[in-house]
Amino acid sequence: MTALSQPQLRDLTEAELTWVAEQEKVIFGPAAWSLALIRDDFDFGGKRYRGAEVEGELVGYAVYGYDGDAFSLMNIAVVLGARRGGVGRALMDDFLAEAGREGAREAWLEVSVANTAALALYRSYGFEDVRIRPRYYQPENEDALVMRRKMTDRVA
C-alpha cells in the first residue's frame, strides 16, 4: 500500500465472508466471530457489511446497523499491514454517514478497554464513555467500554 492510496469502500459479498472470518481469527484471536456466526448475521441480521480496498486488495471491514433501536458499530477491523493508513478512519466516516442517512440520533459502539488505538480513534470522532460492561469479551474475560456519539455533535 502506497502512502497515496486511498481506501475504496464497498459492500462485501457473501463470497468474501470466509476472508472476514480468516481476518477475525488473525486480528481478534479467541474472541473472533466464527464463520457460522458471520454467515447468519450477514443473511439474517439486517446489518451492513462494508469492505475497504486499497489497490484492489481487501484490507479492512466494518459491520454496522440497528441493534434493536440503537444504530451500532458491531465490528471494525483493519489488517495489520494496512494500519495507520486511513482505513479505519474511512470505515468510521462510512459508519457515521450511514447513521446520518438513517436519521439515527445517536451512534453506539463497544470496545475493549485495553484497545488504546481504537479508543483514541473513537474519541477523535466525538464518542463519549457511557459505561463498562464487565467481562464482555470472552474467553479473555476482558471488559468493554460502551461509547456513544450524539449525531448532532460536530467533530473538527
Side-chain angles (χ1 to χ4, degrees), residues 106-111 119 123 126-133 144-150:
E106 299 173 325
W108 293 83
L109 59 84
E110 293 159 341
V111 60
L119 286 165
R123 287 184 175 131
F127 280 84
E128 298 176 343
D129 301 1
V130 175
R131 66 185 170 98
I132 298 289
R133 294 181 97 177
L145 176 61
V146 177
M147 301 181 83
R148 174 188 66 209
R149 176 180 180 224
K150 293 180 181 174

Side-chain angles (χ1 to χ4, degrees), residues 13-62:
T13 66
E14 187 171 359
E16 293 166 322
L17 298 181
T18 299
W19 178 86
V20 171
E22 290 167 356
Q23 299 313 307
E24 282 281 311
K25 289 178 192 172
V26 171
I27 296 167
F28 299 112
W33 291 6
S34 69
L35 179 57
L37 184 147
I38 292 166
R39 284 192 192 284
D40 279 352
D41 191 59
F42 184 85
D43 289 341
F44 306 111
K47 309 296 184 306
R48 191 149 188 208
Y49 278 68
R50 299 285 282 165
E53 288 185 344
V54 173
E55 298 175 1
E57 182 180 344
L58 277 172
V59 294
Y61 58 95

Side-chain angles (χ1 to χ4, degrees), residues 48-119:
R48 191 149 188 208
Y49 278 68
R50 299 285 282 165
E53 288 185 344
V54 173
E55 298 175 1
E57 182 180 344
L58 277 172
V59 294
Y61 58 95
V63 179
Y64 57 76
Y66 280 99
D67 185 16
D69 64 350
F71 197 80
S72 299
L73 179 66
M74 309 327 185
N75 204 347
I76 186 170
V78 177
V79 300
L80 295 176
R83 292 186 182 170
R84 305 202 57 78
V87 176
R89 284 202 171 275
L91 289 165
M92 284 298 296
D93 290 343
D94 189 61
F95 162 61
L96 291 172
E98 183 78 3
R101 285 189 295 274
E102 287 286 327
R105 292 183 180 161
E106 299 173 325
W108 293 83
L109 59 84
E110 293 159 341
V111 60
S112 165
V113 296
N115 191 339
T116 56
L119 286 165

Side-chain angles (χ1 to χ4, degrees), residues 123-143:
R123 287 184 175 131
S124 77
Y125 276 91
F127 280 84
E128 298 176 343
D129 301 1
V130 175
R131 66 185 170 98
I132 298 289
R133 294 181 97 177
R135 300 171 303 283
Y136 181 77
Y137 293 105
Q138 296 297 323
E140 296 92 345
N141 222 21
E142 197 166 282
D143 294 348

